[in-house]
Amino acid sequence: MTRPRGAVRLTRYGLLQTDRATDLLTGDPLSFWDIDKAAPLDETAAGILAELGAVGDPDLALLSLHRLAAADPQVVSELRGDRGLRRRLLGVLGASAAFGDLLAARPELWRELTDPGAYAHRPDHGELRQALLAAVGAKDGESIRNGCAMAGVTGPAAVLALRQEYQRRLLCLAARDITGASGLDVVTAELADLADALLQAALAVATATLAPGRPEARMAVIAMGKCGGRELNYVSDVDVLFVAEPVDADTDPAAALRTATTLASSMMRICQQAAWPVDAALRPEGKDGPLVRTLASHRAYYEKWARTWEFQALIKARPAAGDLALGREWWDMVSPLVWRAADADGVVADVRAMRRKVLDHLPPGDAAKEVKLGPGGLRDIEFAVQLLQLVHGRSDPEIRSGNTLEALAKLRDGGYVGLADGAALGDAYRFLRTVEHRLQLQRLRRTHRIPDDSDGVRWLARTLGITGSAEKGPVEAFLDQWAQVARQVRRLHEKLFYRPLLEAVARVPSEAYRLSPDAARSRLGVLGFADPASALRHVEALTSGVSRTAAIQRTLLPAMLYTFADSPNPDAGLLAYRKVSELLGRTPWYLRLLRDSGPVAERTAQLLGASRYVADLLSRDPEALQLLADDAELAPRGLDTLLTAMLAAADRSTEPVAAVTAVRTLRRRELLRIACADLLQLLDVREVGQALSDVADAVLEATLRAAIRGVTTERGAPPPVRVAIVALGRLGGQEIGYASDADVLFVHEPVGGAGDAEAAAAAIAVAERVQRLLAARSVDPPLTVDAGLRPEGRQGPLSRSLASYEAYYRRWSSVWEAQALLRARVAAGDPEIGERLLWIADDLRYPENGLDPAGVTEIRRLKARVDSERLPRGADPALHTKLGRGGLGDVEWTIQLVQMQHARQVPAPGLRSTSTLDALEAAAEAGLISRHCAADMVEAWKLASRVRNALMLVRGRPSDQLPRYGADLAGVAWVIERETEDPQAFVDRYLRTARHARRAVEDIFGA
């Protein structure tokens, strides 16, 4: 059936119920539509219909307008002549069925929207208070009794008078809100002011109904929640608590309290009958506690019994009605307790648990529709803001506002929240509160739930001014915007609410924020800073001034100082932090990273206070601090990834020095990554050795390529050789430390018909350039390429051909050279050449019939010589990690002897591993050494390797000697064990472990 032409035309004005709309628009009282022409009756009617089509629900607005016009036909002529009235009145009617009902019942109220001046006027708190009091015949300061003016109108007449004045004020406010004349901040503040005024007027009525002769009392009404924060909803319980005192010393306190309780109960009843419920459940002990308490009773409760959520609620408390002087006295008493609440243990965890509890109690279906309580809703913003306030408000009075948007702005200005994050949360809060307001205006009912039906969502979207686009209608456009806001709020909530820095700051006592310089120096000394005066100068340099940088440092440092204090060297850590901060202080991401990004601030303080090595690396590459934000960033990058990055860096320059400089820069970043992960106990000692060896392999590969390119440039042609670098020693075993040299062999083969001499000269030129490029002076840690284990040692050629190696090893090699080859593996260069050298080495390092007695005797003799001659003068043989008793040398010589004796005959692939630990495990598995001896040697080798690494990390320079006392020992003990309070206990542990290993070595090596 074809729709009538008039119906089609009406849908252009957003009217969907076209039959009813035709009836309502045609004839009295509206007469806007010409049914014969299927068009507006005239140009003015067309303008009214166009305005009607722009409102949230045009059908609802038209029906409500028809009802209003039937009650007061004058509204139609006013609409024709007043465009402003059209926008205001139709906007209200299209947004709220409740206001449509109100105007039908009280048609005179539409005139409140006719005067542009009166309509645009924003009444202040005093004006609203006087208006509501006047409605019940009371004035401020008149007939003061019990802290409030007495009303002249009481009973049902008073309730009606309050309700009507409240409705009138609410209508004007809603019109300004819907038309955009007043923003959210103004609307919520005015709603709170209106609530204050109603509380005051209701109290006046309650006072007037008191029986004569009742004892008098001073009583204050304290607003809580959104009313207390001056950010009230259209429809909400008004949260309050009451405080009362006798009017003078002659009044019986108990009798005065009974009077105040009667007043409070009566006031609450009047408010509920006139406008909304008053909820006093946030009072001490909740609904189980007395409705009214004295100042002393409040103090006793909050000092002894109050829980975290109660202090959180008090952030928004303010005197609202009654005896305001008493209210201010109450607040002056309670406020210090609020801002000391975060000193208690577990406050941060308590607030987080409360938020989770709210979410857990939401039915699953409701959570997805809730703009207030659901994930990504208003509560997420409010809880994040309040937790930040509780923690940081102890030292910064500027952020103590009870208003969410004001507090958020202050947190942003004070550096506690990032500028972008603060702006995003503010925008999201305004959007969600506006959605909440539109939902409540529809029927003036308390709700925070998005409608389930598309018609309801369409109405909501249109009242928000969301009309959609050609691609998306208003429903889809709103749902997309809401989902985007919710995701952003949830992300920022988790970022701020679960920020580890909050817990660290909460552990700092409040008095630490308010110390005089002398007291601050004393506190720093107590914390463990050896030079408190210098530490204080560093703190002052970082925090002085009014810049945002200084503000954020003032947020960070209290907690960081305690972390520095827990580290081995607080003074060095704080100095290093100052240097890094001065290098990066103006970098936009730096302080934001420390404040917002997970554990970065705490980790920075830990690492700088523990490791000079890290401090030195970080001072040269401060941007690497970003690695600390994520454990995944601290995971070592595998060899393939390192090769790709370093070869690309080397290839960006044809000049070898520049190419290797770029490679060494990347190595510095990787060393820092590994050192940080090591210190944070994210890697064990084997993983550290593997990671450092991968870095060395990649550096050798990239440097070899650059060296070949350099030789090519000098010769004018590529060198006629294929070159490989074979790793030996700890690099061969993939177990190097931070200060280890790269022990290598260079091996080559001629290509292109080159003679042996020409090929050797070219290969040696390449090898020398590799050594020279990596030994060049630089700000980066050196990697010494040591070829001293080659045939004939330093007297022999730097590189040999495969044939030369084979001839030497068959005729001239010593037992120690065979032993050195046990850890040979291909590290860089031509893999085929390297593998062929290893094949040649196999007959030497894994003798066919095992090591003969003469060979065993020779190894024992060499070991004894090393023990007696190589130990540095003055070294303590019990604590020398490399050459001492039960140290690395003992373990490695022992397992290498076992390998040379049995690796050819015993079918255990692990016995031929270049890894010390793998070879020990394989020897125990094959029964060549006892499990007990293997376990003792493994433990000793790991501990000695960790100590060696820790010495480098702590001191920033290599050492093999574990000190018996002093700061370095304390640092090593902290790095390895963290919880060791007595470093001497760590020395005892090392000695015990080494003794056990030494016994195992003697059992095996001397057998």
Side-chain angles (χ1 to χ4, degrees):
M1 180 176 177
T2 304
R3 296 177 68 189
R5 185 161 54 98
V8 175
R9 298 289 293 275
L10 284 172
T11 59
R12 297 177 183 176
Y13 298 106
L15 293 162
L16 303 180
Q17 300 176 31
T18 53
D19 290 343
R20 189 183 72 178
T22 301
D23 292 340
L24 295 176
L25 288 168
T26 306
D28 292 334
L30 298 181
S31 299
F32 293 151
W33 190 255
D34 187 327
I35 195 168
D36 294 327
K37 296 180 180 179
L41 192 64
D42 50 38
E43 187 176 342
T44 300
I48 293 173
L49 288 173
E51 195 71 54
L52 186 71
V55 304
D57 187 340
D59 288 291
L60 173 64
L62 176 59
L63 178 61
S64 296
L65 178 63
H66 189 276
R67 294 168 63 201
L68 173 59
D72 187 351
Q74 188 178 349
V75 70
V76 176
S77 60
E78 291 292 334
L79 278 176
R80 284 182 166 277
D82 188 341
R83 292 183 178 181
L85 177 62
R86 294 177 202 168
R87 184 162 177 258
R88 296 188 285 272
L89 180 59
L90 294 178
V92 169
L93 295 177
S96 174
F99 277 122
D101 293 341
L102 174 65
L103 286 165
R106 298 183 60 197
E108 75 280 1
L109 286 179
W110 68 264
R111 289 177 170 80
E112 299 291 332
L113 307 180
T114 57
D115 182 352
Y119 155 76
H121 172 64
R122 191 280 195 231
D124 61 20
H125 186 276
E127 180 182 336
L128 291 171
R129 180 183 171 102
Q130 292 175 10
L132 270 293
L133 285 171
V136 294
K139 293 182 180 179
D140 268 344
E142 179 183 306
S143 302
I144 295 297
R145 180 182 177 203
N146 301 308
C148 182
M150 293 177 58
V153 181
T154 59
V159 171
L160 178 61
L162 285 175
R163 181 188 302 126
Q164 290 182 340
E165 181 61 19
Y166 181 81
Q167 290 171 340
R168 184 176 75 84
R169 296 285 177 170
L170 198 65
L171 173 65
C172 295
L173 175 58
R176 282 189 278 117
D177 180 9
I178 291 167
T179 58
S182 290
L184 177 75
D185 309 50
V186 171
V187 170
T188 55
E190 188 171 330
L191 284 167
D193 291 347
L194 189 55
D196 287 1
L198 186 62
L199 288 170
Q200 187 69 36
L203 190 54
V205 174
T207 302
T209 60
L210 280 175
R214 289 289 296 268
E216 295 187 353
R218 301 171 62 203
M219 188 178 78
V221 184
I222 309 297
M224 306 283 285
K226 282 188 166 60
C227 185
R230 298 189 76 243
E231 52 189 15
L232 194 60
N233 298 333
Y234 277 101
V235 185
S236 174
D237 290 355
V238 172
D239 296 306
V240 301
L241 55 82
F242 299 97
V243 57
E245 288 288 314
V247 293
D248 53 43
D250 295 331
T251 305
D252 177 19
L257 207 57
R258 286 193 295 272
T259 297
T261 301
T262 300
L263 272 176
S265 299
S266 179
M267 186 209 78
M268 292 172 69
R269 183 175 60 255
I270 293 166
C271 286
Q272 179 158 9
Q273 293 170 347
W276 23 249
V278 174
D279 189 346
L282 293 178
R283 67 185 185 267
E285 298 182 83
K287 294 181 180 179
D288 296 327
L291 183 61
V292 183
R293 287 177 182 256
T294 63
L295 287 170
S297 178
H298 275 285
R299 177 190 288 276
Y301 179 82
Y302 287 119
E303 285 182 341
K304 295 180 181 179
W305 310 112
R307 290 170 289 176
T308 299
W309 71 264
E310 293 176 283
F311 289 114
Q312 183 181 352
L314 287 175
I315 291 175
K316 292 184 176 295
R318 66 175 177 83
D323 191 323
L324 297 180
L326 177 61
R328 287 189 290 271
E329 189 177 349
W330 173 88
W331 178 241
D332 290 342
M333 176 194 75
V334 168
S335 177
L337 303 178
V338 175
W339 305 115
R340 288 203 299 267
D343 285 343
D345 292 336
V347 165
V348 174
D350 286 348
V351 177
R352 290 171 177 168
M354 180 61 68
R355 177 60 185 134
R356 287 192 296 270
K357 184 177 179 181
V358 171
L359 289 173
D360 291 345
H361 281 72
L362 276 177
D366 288 348
K369 292 287 187 178
E370 270 277 346
V371 297
K372 179 180 179 180
L373 302 177
L378 290 163
R379 276 290 187 269
D380 272 352
I381 300 174
E382 291 164 351
F383 266 71
V385 168
Q386 289 163 19
L387 181 55
L388 288 168
Q389 287 180 286
L390 279 175
V391 172
H392 297 296
R394 296 176 299 162
S395 61
D396 189 351
E398 291 295 318
I399 65 172
R400 295 178 181 177
S401 172
N403 181 277
T404 301
L405 287 173
E406 286 182 7
L408 188 55
K410 294 293 186 181
L411 287 166
R412 184 187 63 213
D413 294 343
Y416 305 100
V417 175
L419 292 172
D421 291 350
L425 280 176
D427 291 343
Y429 185 82
R430 288 184 175 89
F431 173 79
L432 294 171
R433 285 300 305 274
T434 304
V435 170
E436 181 185 44
H437 280 190
R438 297 298 179 267
L439 289 169
Q440 293 181 349
L441 274 175
Q442 187 178 31
R443 299 194 179 279
L444 287 182
R445 293 178 183 170
R446 186 170 63 175
T447 181
H448 327 97
R449 200 175 189 280
I450 302 297
D452 294 315
D453 60 296
S454 58
D455 288 343
V457 177
R458 182 180 298 106
W459 159 82
L460 176 60
R462 287 172 59 90
T463 62
L464 292 166
I466 300 173
T467 57
S469 62
E471 294 78 22
K472 294 180 180 178
V475 173
E476 293 77 12
F478 166 75
L479 292 176
D480 284 353
Q481 185 174 350
W482 176 41
Q484 181 179 356
V485 167
R487 284 194 300 272
Q488 185 176 47
V489 168
R490 193 62 186 169
R491 177 182 66 82
L492 293 174
H493 167 81
E494 291 177 350
K495 175 180 177 180
L496 299 174
F497 202 60
Y498 295 99
R499 183 190 290 169
L501 184 65
L502 274 176
E503 293 171 287
V505 173
R507 290 194 292 268
V508 179
S510 290
E511 62 269 17
Y513 291 97
R514 298 183 289 270
L515 298 176
S516 66
D518 288 342
R521 278 191 293 272
S522 176
R523 171 60 65 91
L524 289 168
V526 169
L527 284 176
F529 286 87
D531 187 350
S534 292
L536 185 58
R537 285 195 297 272
H538 297 324
V539 172
E540 289 171 342
L542 289 164
T543 60
S544 61
V546 296
S547 68
R548 183 172 175 79
T549 296
I552 297 176
Q553 289 284 17
R554 287 192 289 271
T555 303
L556 294 168
L557 271 171
M560 292 185 73
L561 286 174
Y562 278 75
T563 306
F564 280 123
D566 289 336
S567 70
N569 195 337
D571 297 82
L574 182 56
L575 173 60
Y577 176 69
R578 178 181 174 182
K579 289 179 178 177
V580 171
S581 295
E582 288 172 347
L583 286 169
L584 288 176
R586 295 187 180 275
T587 306
W589 56 263
Y590 168 56
L591 292 176
R592 183 172 68 243
L593 177 77
L594 292 179
R595 182 194 59 207
D596 298 341
S597 300
V600 176
E602 185 173 4
R603 284 178 167 181
T604 299
Q606 276 186 348
L607 295 172
L608 294 179
S611 173
R612 180 162 297 186
Y613 183 77
V614 166
D616 290 344
L617 289 177
L618 203 56
S619 68
R620 298 180 187 121
D621 186 13
E623 294 195 357
L625 202 68
Q626 296 172 93
L627 296 174
L628 302 182
D630 186 353
D631 285 357
E633 286 296 316
L634 290 172
R637 301 196 293 175
L639 181 58
D640 290 343
T641 301
L642 291 167
L643 280 171
T644 300
M646 291 193 179
L647 290 174
D651 289 344
R652 279 195 283 270
S653 175
T654 58
E655 203 284 309
V657 172
V660 175
T661 297
V663 169
R664 293 177 71 176
T665 298
L666 287 179
R667 176 175 176 261
R668 180 214 303 149
R669 173 66 66 92
E670 296 311 310
L671 292 177
L672 181 58
R673 187 194 309 274
I674 297 164
C676 291
D678 187 0
L679 286 161
L680 294 170
Q681 300 183 323
L682 300 176
L683 300 175
D684 63 28
V685 69
R686 294 194 69 173
E687 291 168 330
V688 170
Q690 179 69 60
L692 291 170
S693 300
D694 286 345
V695 173
D697 286 1
V699 169
L700 289 171
E701 185 71 56
T703 305
L704 179 61
R705 178 180 292 191
I708 291 172
R709 194 158 53 232
V711 172
T712 299
T713 301
E714 287 183 358
R715 293 169 52 93
V721 286
R722 298 158 64 192
V723 180
I725 301 176
V726 173
L728 300 174
R730 294 178 72 80
L731 178 59
Q734 295 179 302
E735 52 200 23
I736 63 173
Y738 296 101
S740 297
D741 293 345
D743 292 313
V744 301
L745 297 175
F746 289 96
V747 57
H748 65 267
E749 278 291 271
V751 296
D756 290 344
E758 181 186 5
I764 290 170
V766 169
E768 288 175 341
R769 191 174 288 265
V770 168
Q771 289 182 313
R772 192 164 59 248
L773 286 169
L774 288 174
R777 294 189 64 178
S778 169
V779 296
D780 298 313
L783 176 61
T784 301
V785 178
D786 188 347
L789 294 176
R790 65 185 183 268
E792 300 180 82
R794 302 191 187 281
Q795 304 305 314
L798 189 56
S799 180
R800 288 176 181 260
S801 67
L802 288 166
S804 177
Y805 272 110
E806 184 171 16
Y808 177 85
Y809 285 142
R810 291 191 188 282
R811 296 182 62 188
W812 309 110
S813 69
S814 304
V815 172
W816 72 264
E817 291 176 303
Q819 183 183 356
L821 289 171
L822 285 169
R823 294 205 281 189
R825 65 173 181 84
V826 182
D830 191 305
E832 181 190 352
I833 302 301
E835 290 296 337
R836 287 169 64 187
L837 178 59
L838 297 186
W839 181 79
I840 291 169
D842 280 351
D843 284 341
L844 196 65
R845 55 184 175 173
Y846 311 130
E848 185 173 356
N849 298 315
L851 196 62
D852 58 30
V856 173
T857 300
E858 176 66 9
I859 287 181
R860 289 173 178 163
R861 186 186 67 80
L862 289 171
K863 175 69 167 62
R865 182 179 173 186
V866 167
D867 287 348
S868 64
E869 296 179 4
R870 297 281 298 278
L871 192 69
R873 184 183 298 274
D876 185 343
L879 294 174
H880 199 278
T881 60
K882 183 177 181 181
L883 302 174
R885 295 187 292 270
L888 296 171
D890 267 1
V891 175
E892 290 167 359
W893 280 73
T894 300
I895 188 57
Q896 288 163 16
L897 176 60
V898 172
Q899 287 178 290
M900 294 183 74
Q901 287 177 311
H902 303 287
R904 190 67 170 257
Q905 294 82 22
V906 175
L911 200 56
R912 296 190 178 190
S913 173
T914 62
S915 162
T916 301
L917 297 182
D918 287 348
L920 278 167
E921 182 180 347
E925 186 71 27
L928 301 175
I929 60 176
S930 72
R931 292 275 184 189
H932 177 73
C933 286
D936 285 345
M937 288 192 289
V938 165
E939 184 181 0
W941 188 92
K942 286 182 176 179
L943 183 57
S945 295
R946 293 184 71 192
V947 168
R948 206 172 181 220
N949 282 344
L951 283 164
M952 181 65 182
L953 291 171
V954 169
R955 301 171 77 230
R957 59 185 188 276
S959 176
D960 294 316
Q961 182 75 53
L962 176 65
R964 282 193 176 270
Y965 52 83
D968 287 347
L969 171 62
V972 169
W974 185 92
V975 166
I976 294 176
E977 293 195 336
R978 284 295 192 275
E979 297 179 0
T980 299
E981 294 184 3
D982 179 10
Q984 192 58 48
F986 179 76
V987 173
D988 294 342
R989 176 193 163 192
Y990 182 89
L991 290 171
R992 183 172 57 254
T993 303
R995 278 197 307 272
H996 293 166
R998 181 70 173 189
R999 282 198 296 267
V1001 167
E1002 290 172 345
D1003 288 346
I1004 299 165
F1005 197 80

